[in-house]
Amino acid sequence: MIFSTPDGIGRNTTSAYRRGEWLVRLAALLLISSAVFAQTMNTVFSEFPVPSGAGQIVSGPDGAMWFTASNKIGRITTTGVVSEYLVPFASPNSQPASITNGPDGALWFTLFTQIGRLTTSGQFTAFALPANTYADTSIVTGPDGALWMPALNVSGSTNNNQILRLTTIGAPTAFTISQCNSTPFGGITLGPDGALWFVDKCNTAIGRITTAGVITEYPIPTWTGYLENIATGPDGALWFTDSGRGGYIGRITISGAWTEYPLSAAVASGVVAIGITAGPDGAVWFDTNSTLIGRVDMAGKMTAFSTPTDATRISLGPDRALWFQEYNVPSPKVLRAQVPARAGVFSQIAAGAGWSTLITLINNSASAVPLTVAFYGDDGTALTLPITVTQLGATQARTTNFVSQTLAAHSTMLISAGGQSQSGNSGWADVTSVGELGGYAIFRWTQQSGSFSEGTAPLSGQYSNTLTVPYDNTDVFFTGAALVNLAATAESVTATAWDDRGNQLGTETLTIPENGHVAFLFPSLISLTSGGLGQVQFQSSGGLAGLGLRFTTLGTLTSIPVM
């Protein structure tokens, strides 16, 4: 790969360069490459009874979930403790429907002809909508500190299709879109561009409205009037559900370019999607009209998962779990689905031929956390290693490319890789879990004399398309880096070097495979960094994780955090 060492590395003396020859052979071990690990989605379901049932569910300002119910607003903690508040101004014709986390730390909900407000301490307020105006499909907080919702205004025989803005003191402003003689709207959401995006069933379109009231609509010609809900995805686009024509998941960019993905092949024939939300794992999740929920990655790949019973009103909770209303059950329940998401990555793993790595994972929570640690080689494929797992006083040895365990509350697990293996391997480790974890990986180089040196790769949950590593290649020191490409495709990474005076020294391009890893010394990449001080910045269009590496000609090494 990149480990051709330029003449003059070290540059202090010829003898210093020769003493550094071990460094080239040593560091080259980091580049030994090893089917991509296909992680199973070990989703954990929990059901919680709710006395009055549940409607729409939303993450509240207090770390709990809040939901609408018949004549009530309910609250459920992430451990399942339920409390309910009777809505004093609800009536048979005015029931709580949609709910959102308001801009003022309260919960706001629709009551058909009114909008309700509930503080987390249980205090209610009601605001009347304009005469002959009705709202119940969806409500969301806008970037302007107001509440936004689809509404229908009935004037004689004319139904006006509107988006309604309501301030926190109850002052409404209506923006009329069109006349409509059918159910006009589905969901509304805050878009990545600071505008509100909504589903317009009347005009079979996705609509956009700015906080100033400027409306743009993007027709979806394939729709047959069954569009449902919309959410902002992790890719900066809007994702929506289309329950017509057998069921689709749609994606539309903020410029109006749209794509639809059919459910029939990946989920089941006849199943349609209804609710949708961004998940905790960089994908979009949706519920259906059956005992299935679905996941769509940003490339449109779809996967289905069975739920204990029919589940709808999907919402992402503060605990990184997905929450649903359950129906078709003997008694009302709320369903929580804990899905594995990336807890972090270890940017450097080295094992065999004098290298070993010890991973420490810690669960600081009061609940058990299922987790998976997947090992990848430099080329992005699964890296199989001899490992030893120590947990709860027991030790297990095996050869594998992943470890799936459940980490008990407040417990620690150790994973040791390398040992006495004669073949050298390098790469990185991806940690996924249904809860938060802490940890670090110590990679150790042991010389024939028995002396050793170590570096530490933290469990990093910070990913960026720009990473900077300072370097010191003076005297006996040599700086390098380990980089991981977290993008779904191969990425070209641009490396730009500056000296300590801010003078640009040069630019090089690295190509890192999907899920790939690379480790190198800076002088082997940009020769003008040899013998000097400065910084190297790495830029990519996708996500990067990384770690700085610092070696000496004395046989020692350590790690450097990236910036």
Side-chain angles (χ1 to χ4, degrees):
M1 289 191 177
I2 305 173
F3 252 106
S4 57
T5 305
D7 290 341
I9 184 171
R11 283 198 180 178
N12 298 300
T13 63
T14 302
S15 60
Y17 174 72
R18 289 174 178 170
R19 290 198 304 271
E21 288 180 351
W22 75 272
L23 178 62
V24 179
R25 294 191 294 269
L26 173 64
L29 293 174
L30 298 177
L31 300 177
I32 301 175
S33 299
S34 67
V36 176
F37 168 72
Q39 178 184 309
T40 57
M41 294 292 289
N42 297 316
T43 303
V44 178
F45 292 103
S46 304
E47 293 177 295
F48 305 105
V50 286
S52 303
Q56 191 178 55
I57 306 175
V58 68
S59 177
D62 56 349
M65 302 297 293
W66 291 75
F67 57 89
T68 56
S70 178
N71 295 316
K72 297 176 182 177
I73 299 297
R75 177 184 185 271
I76 182 169
T77 68
T78 55
T79 57
V81 179
V82 179
S83 52
E84 294 185 329
Y85 300 89
L86 182 66
V87 180
F89 33 80
S91 69
N93 296 321
S94 183
Q95 290 286 304
S98 299
I99 189 168
T100 192
N101 191 354
D104 54 353
L107 288 305
W108 289 72
F109 55 95
T110 60
L111 280 158
F112 196 49
T113 60
Q114 303 176 87
I115 301 300
R117 177 183 183 271
L118 172 64
T119 68
T120 55
S121 61
Q123 302 300 311
F124 282 97
T125 311
F127 300 95
L129 295 179
N132 302 316
T133 299
Y134 311 98
D136 65 355
T137 60
S138 188
I139 184 170
V140 70
T141 295
D144 56 348
L147 289 306
W148 291 75
M149 67 210 76
L152 184 66
N153 176 262
V154 179
S155 177
S157 60
T158 302
N159 294 335
N160 292 313
N161 190 10
Q162 297 179 335
I163 297 294
L164 191 67
R165 177 185 184 270
L166 188 74
T167 68
T168 54
I169 60 171
T173 305
F175 303 95
T176 299
I177 299 173
S178 63
Q179 295 181 5
C180 187
N181 293 318
S182 61
T183 303
F185 286 114
I188 187 169
T189 191
L190 176 59
D193 56 350
L196 290 306
W197 289 73
F198 57 92
V199 169
D200 184 349
K201 292 186 178 184
C202 185
N203 295 310
T204 59
I206 293 293
R208 175 185 185 270
I209 182 169
T210 68
T211 55
V214 178
I215 297 170
T216 307
E217 294 214 307
Y218 300 97
I220 309 295
T222 57
W223 276 356
T224 55
Y226 293 95
L227 33 156
E228 301 290 347
N229 287 290
I230 189 167
T232 297
D235 59 346
L238 288 304
W239 291 73
F240 55 88
T241 54
D242 177 359
S243 61
R245 298 170 293 118
Y248 285 78
I249 297 296
R251 176 185 184 272
I252 186 168
T253 67
I254 58 174
S255 61
W258 59 273
T259 308
E260 287 198 312
Y261 305 98
L263 272 68
S264 55
V267 181
S269 179
V271 172
V272 296
I274 302 172
I276 191 165
T277 188
D281 56 347
V284 169
W285 288 75
F286 58 91
D287 58 54
T288 71
N289 61 340
S290 72
T291 57
L292 294 173
I293 59 175
R295 176 185 186 271
V296 190
D297 67 18
M298 297 302 93
K301 181 180 178 182
M302 200 174 297
T303 312
F305 305 90
S306 295
T307 55
T309 186
D310 294 348
T312 188
R313 305 297 185 97
I314 187 171
S315 181
L316 180 64
D319 55 349
R320 303 197 311 165
L322 300 172
W323 290 76
F324 307 82
Q325 167 206 13
E326 278 191 308
Y327 62 101
N328 290 340
V329 292
S331 59
K333 294 179 181 178
V334 165
L335 177 69
R336 180 181 66 177
Q338 295 171 282
V339 300
R342 176 171 282 151
V345 303
F346 297 116
S347 300
Q348 178 66 18
I349 299 293
W355 286 95
S356 62
T357 296
L358 178 65
I359 293 173
T360 300
L361 289 170
I362 299 172
N363 175 13
N364 282 324
S365 73
S367 302
V369 176
L371 63 88
T372 297
V373 181
F375 300 100
Y376 292 91
D378 295 330
D379 62 358
T381 62
L383 176 60
T384 300
L385 298 170
I387 66 166
T388 300
V389 179
T390 302
Q391 185 183 17
L392 301 177
T395 299
Q396 294 180 333
R398 55 186 183 269
T399 299
T400 183
N401 55 40
F402 71 96
V403 174
S404 286
Q405 304 279 128
T406 295
L407 194 53
H410 302 295
S411 68
T412 302
M413 181 173 69
L414 303 180
I415 303 174
S416 177
Q420 302 302 314
S421 176
Q422 297 302 307
S423 60
N425 297 278
S426 73
W428 65 286
D430 196 12
V431 182
T432 54
S433 72
V434 300
E436 294 185 2
L437 298 170
Y440 54 91
I442 297 176
F443 47 96
R444 172 183 290 187
W445 162 251
T446 303
Q447 302 184 61
Q448 291 183 349
S449 63
S451 61
F452 61 84
S453 189
E454 298 177 333
T456 302
L459 180 63
S460 174
Q462 300 297 317
Y463 321 115
S464 175
N465 58 5
T466 302
L467 299 177
T468 300
V469 181
Y471 68 84
D472 178 0
N473 293 329
T474 63
D475 196 26
V476 297
F477 302 110
F478 304 91
T479 306
L483 300 178
V484 179
N485 173 23
L486 301 174
T489 59
E491 286 288 320
S492 292
V493 180
T494 300
T496 304
W498 290 269
D499 65 18
D500 56 332
R501 297 172 181 264
N503 299 309
Q504 184 172 318
L505 302 180
T507 299
E508 293 290 343
T509 300
L510 318 173
T511 299
I512 308 179
E514 173 188 356
N515 290 329
H517 169 272
V518 65
F520 51 88
L521 296 176
F522 289 166
S524 67
L525 179 66
I526 299 176
S527 61
L528 289 178
T529 63
S530 181
L533 301 165
Q535 59 180 282
V536 177
Q537 184 181 85
F538 301 95
Q539 289 186 307
S540 171
S541 60
L544 287 175
L547 186 71
L549 304 172
R550 177 178 167 95
F551 298 92
T552 76
T553 57
L554 306 175
T556 60
L557 69 98
T558 189
S559 52
I560 304 170
V562 298
M563 302 175 186

